[in-house]
């Protein structure tokens, strides 16, 4: 049985003070949560937020990283640096990085390899745009994101990955995928992982749904057999709503 995993992607939000308050409020309640939980603050607040999480069961994650280990890469952050400040996870290939910053599948694949070498657990985001869904290309796009993201990963490495299915049209729009739409794509993704790595990895790997998850819709979405948790944006910036999702 896969344990649910709920992660909060703070994106480019909060001040240091707000971040510490939010993290502390989540940490206080975390002991009673049925799911695994992680929060992913902006890079500059990782260390202060890590102190607020000390001794709790809330894991810390980065929102991105670069694939090189070190050197002249102005503005970038390595996997080892994320590890060094206490991260267990790193989000890779988020749709905002694909579509706003212009990251390619090839770049994201390099980051996947580098994250695993650094000892981080990647959360690989995949998902189609509205246009792609409406032209019936959802699985073509999601399939490519999965295949290219996992390219060259051994079964052992693949087993450390969480996949987040985040339809681009559902992110920050208030228009979540229905539980059925999510389940359909999650089942297809699990089928792909089974073809690539066999049934044991496919059954163990966790696939989160992300895109306008709120306390009001979390229970129905998380009740789907292939939905193993949520990657939450807007609703993770308030401790109450993030905790309510993690309890759902
Ligand atoms: P929202 O929950 O704000 O739609 O964002 C989802 C997301 O992008 C999480 O990574």
């Amino acid at each position: 049985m896969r344990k649910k995993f709920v992660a909060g992607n703070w994106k480019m939000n909060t001040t240091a003070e707000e971040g510490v308050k939010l993290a502390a409020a989540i940490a206080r309640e975390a002991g009673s949560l049925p799911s695994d939980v992680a929060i992913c603050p902006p890079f500059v607040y990782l260390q202060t937020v890590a102190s607020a999480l000390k001794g709790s069961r809330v894991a810390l994650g980065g929102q991105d990283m670069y694939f090189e280990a070190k050197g002249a890469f102005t503005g970038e952050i390595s996997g080892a640096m994320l590890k060094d400040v206490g991260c267990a996870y790193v989000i890779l290939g988020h749709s905002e990085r694909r579509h706003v910053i212009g990251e390619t599948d090839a770049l994201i694949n390099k980051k996947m390899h580098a994250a695993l070498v650094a000892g981080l657990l990647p959360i690989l985001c995949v998902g189609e745009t509205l246009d792609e869904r409406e032209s019936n290309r959802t699985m073509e796009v999601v399939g490519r994101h999965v295949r290219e993201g996992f390219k060259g990963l051994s079964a052992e490495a693949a087993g450390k990955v969480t996949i987040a299915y985040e339809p681009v049209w559902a992110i920050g729009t208030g228009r979540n995928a229905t539980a059925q739409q999510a389940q359909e794509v999650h089942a297809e993704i699990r089928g792909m992982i089974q073809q690539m790595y066999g049934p044991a990895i496919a059954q163990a790997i966790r696939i989160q749904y992300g895109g306008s998850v709120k306390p009001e819709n979390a229970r129905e979405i998380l009740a789907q057999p292939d939905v193993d948790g949520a990657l939450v944006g807007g609703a993770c910036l308030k401790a109450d709503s993030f905790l309510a999702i993690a309890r759902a």
Side-chain angles (χ1 to χ4, degrees):
M1 195 49 197
R2 296 177 296 271
K3 192 171 184 191
K4 303 270 190 218
F5 175 30
V6 174
N9 175 7
W10 293 11
K11 307 192 180 182
M12 200 169 71
N13 292 296
T14 79
T15 62
E17 192 187 338
E18 289 162 357
V20 167
K21 275 195 189 144
L22 177 56
I26 294 166
R28 263 197 305 277
E29 297 295 321
S32 65
L33 296 176
S35 57
D36 288 334
V37 277
I39 54 177
C40 305
F43 289 144
V44 289
Y45 303 142
L46 281 170
Q47 223 162 353
T48 33
V49 166
S51 319
L53 295 181
K54 220 169 226 143
S56 82
R57 49 180 292 275
V58 182
L60 192 65
Q63 296 177 15
D64 183 39
M65 56 170 270
Y66 197 53
F67 65 87
E68 294 283 3
K70 62 176 182 174
F73 304 102
T74 302
E76 294 295 333
I77 300 279
S78 73
M81 290 171 183
L82 292 181
K83 263 313 251 197
D84 195 25
V85 295
C87 288
Y89 293 93
V90 62
I91 298 171
L92 295 175
H94 191 277
S95 84
E96 285 140 23
R97 298 212 60 88
R98 292 180 190 266
H99 296 287
V100 183
I101 318 282
E103 291 197 4
T104 62
D105 283 313
L107 175 64
I108 294 159
N109 179 250
K110 284 185 182 171
K111 294 183 177 193
M112 289 284 285
H113 282 268
L116 289 157
V117 167
L120 292 163
L121 304 169
I123 300 174
L124 174 69
C125 301
V126 303
E128 81 288 1
T129 62
L130 186 59
D131 204 42
E132 289 160 347
R133 174 163 281 265
E134 285 176 344
S135 51
N136 289 319
R137 288 164 54 220
T138 297
M139 276 325 295
E140 173 198 324
V141 173
V142 169
R144 189 185 70 233
H145 289 166
V146 171
R147 255 190 330 273
E148 298 295 316
F150 279 80
K151 198 177 234 171
L153 294 189
S154 66
E156 197 204 336
K160 296 185 172 145
V161 178
T162 298
I163 299 170
Y165 169 56
E166 299 206 303
V168 179
W169 49 270
I171 296 178
T173 59
R175 177 185 168 192
N176 59 282
T178 64
Q180 290 70 22
Q181 282 172 325
Q183 167 57 26
E184 213 172 273
V185 177
H186 282 228
E188 295 250 18
I189 294 173
R190 200 175 304 286
M192 283 190 69
I193 297 296
Q194 171 146 345
Q195 282 187 351
M196 291 159 70
Y197 295 105
I201 303 269
Q203 282 313 308
I205 204 161
R206 293 193 287 195
I207 309 175
Q208 297 174 320
Y209 167 78
S212 297
V213 177
K214 299 181 277 278
E216 304 81 60
N217 59 26
R219 187 174 294 272
E220 194 191 353
I221 296 172
L222 291 173
Q224 300 303 309
D226 287 296
V227 178
D228 307 313
L231 183 55
V232 187
C236 79
L237 295 172
K238 291 222 165 69
D240 286 354
S241 56
F242 182 68
L243 290 164
I245 294 167
R247 285 194 191 99

